[in-house]
Amino acid sequence: MKKLFPFLVFLYGYVLLTGCDDAIEHIAPAINPEDSASVMTTWGVNTLISDSGVIKYRIVTEKWEVNQVKNPTKWLFEKGLFLEQFDENFHIEAFIQADTAYYLDQRRLWELRGRVKVRTKDGLRFSSEELFWDQIRQEFYSNKFSRVVTPTRELQGSYFLSDEHMTHYRVSNSKGSFVKGADGMGENEGDTLLSAPDSLKESKRHPNFKQPQIVNHKK
C-alpha cells in the first residue's frame, strides 16, 4: 500500500497537467465600435438648444440618441427631425424637417437625409433628399437635386449653396426660369445667383467655439 500511494499521487498530478493543456479559453469577441450603444437615448423630445448662452433652435423628434463612441461622435435622429431656427431675438427664422438627421457635434455639422424641407420667414421653400448645414462656415449646401420656390420664382438644380439664413443662395445647373442680367442675377446659364454678384462669399472659419448646451428638455 505504501508503494502504491506515491504512484497514485504521480498519476493524479499527471492527469491534472494534461487536463490543463486541453483547457478551452472562452473569450468574448471584441466589441465593434459601430455596435457600441449610445450614451443617451431619449424618446419624445421637445427641447431648446443654445450656443454661447443664446437659444438657437428647437428640436422636436421621436427618438434622439447621443453616441460618443463612434468616430466622429454624433447625435442621431433616425426617427425624423423637426427643427425651428431662431434669430438673436428669439424670432423664428426657419422651419427644417427631415426623415433622418445626424449632428456631428465636434464639427458642428448637420446632415439631413430623406425628405428634407425648409421654409423661411420670407416665404422661401426648399426641398431635396439631402442638405448639409455647416455651422462653422454658416452655410447650407446640397449635392443632390434641389428645388427652391420663392414668392416670385422657382428654381431647380443639382447643386445648392446658401448662407444659413437662406437670403443669398446659388443653384447650379438650374432648370428654372429667371431674369438674367437685369438685376445682376446669374453669371451664366448654369449658375443662378439670387443676390448681388459679390454678396455670397465664403464665411471665415471660427475655430474657437462652444458646444451647444441643452437648456430645456421635456420627454
Side-chain angles (χ1 to χ4, degrees):
M1 185 67 181
K2 291 182 179 180
K3 294 182 179 180
L4 183 61
F5 180 76
F7 175 76
L8 292 176
V9 172
F10 172 79
L11 181 62
Y12 180 73
Y14 177 79
V15 170
L16 288 178
L17 289 174
T18 56
C20 291
D21 291 339
D22 297 332
I24 300 175
E25 261 189 305
H26 297 281
I27 301 176
I31 297 175
N32 188 332
E34 295 298 323
D35 298 330
S36 300
S38 299
V39 297
M40 184 195 80
T41 301
T42 308
W43 296 82
V45 177
N46 184 344
T47 187
L48 297 174
I49 304 294
S50 70
D51 187 0
S52 301
V54 179
I55 294 176
K56 293 294 188 179
Y57 39 87
R58 179 194 302 275
I59 287 176
V60 180
T61 183
E62 180 180 344
K63 183 182 180 182
W64 178 12
E65 297 180 71
V66 176
N67 195 307
Q68 299 295 325
V69 180
K70 290 180 180 291
N71 187 18
T73 61
K74 62 180 64 177
W75 301 354
L76 300 90
F77 305 88
E78 296 182 334
K79 296 288 186 179
L81 174 71
F82 178 80
L83 186 146
E84 290 178 334
Q85 182 185 5
F86 302 111
D87 63 13
E88 61 275 8
N89 296 317
F90 199 53
H91 296 145
I92 296 176
E93 281 199 329
F95 299 97
I96 302 174
Q97 187 174 0
D99 290 339
T100 305
Y102 305 100
Y103 179 65
L104 283 64
D105 55 323
Q106 294 179 350
R107 296 171 55 188
R108 298 189 67 186
L109 177 67
W110 282 95
E111 179 182 344
L112 308 170
R113 298 285 183 181
R115 292 170 294 181
V116 181
K117 298 183 184 297
V118 179
R119 181 163 58 90
T120 71
K121 64 179 182 180
D122 298 323
L124 178 144
R125 289 179 293 151
F126 169 89
S127 59
S128 180
E129 294 181 354
E130 168 196 270
L131 183 64
F132 293 92
W133 179 8
D134 190 327
Q135 294 181 317
I136 296 179
R137 291 179 175 270
Q138 300 179 356
E139 66 185 21
F140 288 101
Y141 62 92
S142 176
N143 296 303
K144 297 276 189 179
F145 177 80
S146 303
R147 182 169 176 256
V148 178
V149 179
T150 73
T152 59
R153 69 192 73 243
E154 177 179 340
L155 291 169
Q156 299 178 4
S158 60
Y159 177 74
F160 174 79
L161 175 65
S162 168
D163 67 334
E164 64 179 1
H165 303 291
M166 285 202 172
T167 54
H168 305 117
Y169 52 90
R170 184 173 69 188
V171 180
S172 297
N173 298 325
S174 175
K175 297 182 180 178
S177 60
F178 57 92
V179 179
K180 183 182 177 183
D183 52 1
M185 293 165 50
E187 298 176 350
N188 56 57
E189 295 185 1
D191 295 318
T192 303
L193 186 62
L194 298 184
S195 65
D198 59 348
S199 62
L200 180 60
K201 296 181 180 179
E202 182 175 332
S203 302
K204 295 182 179 179
R205 290 185 177 272
H206 303 284
N208 298 322
F209 62 86
K210 296 181 180 179
Q211 292 292 338
Q213 300 295 321
I214 301 172
V215 298
N216 182 28
H217 180 257
K218 298 179 181 179
K219 288 189 178 181

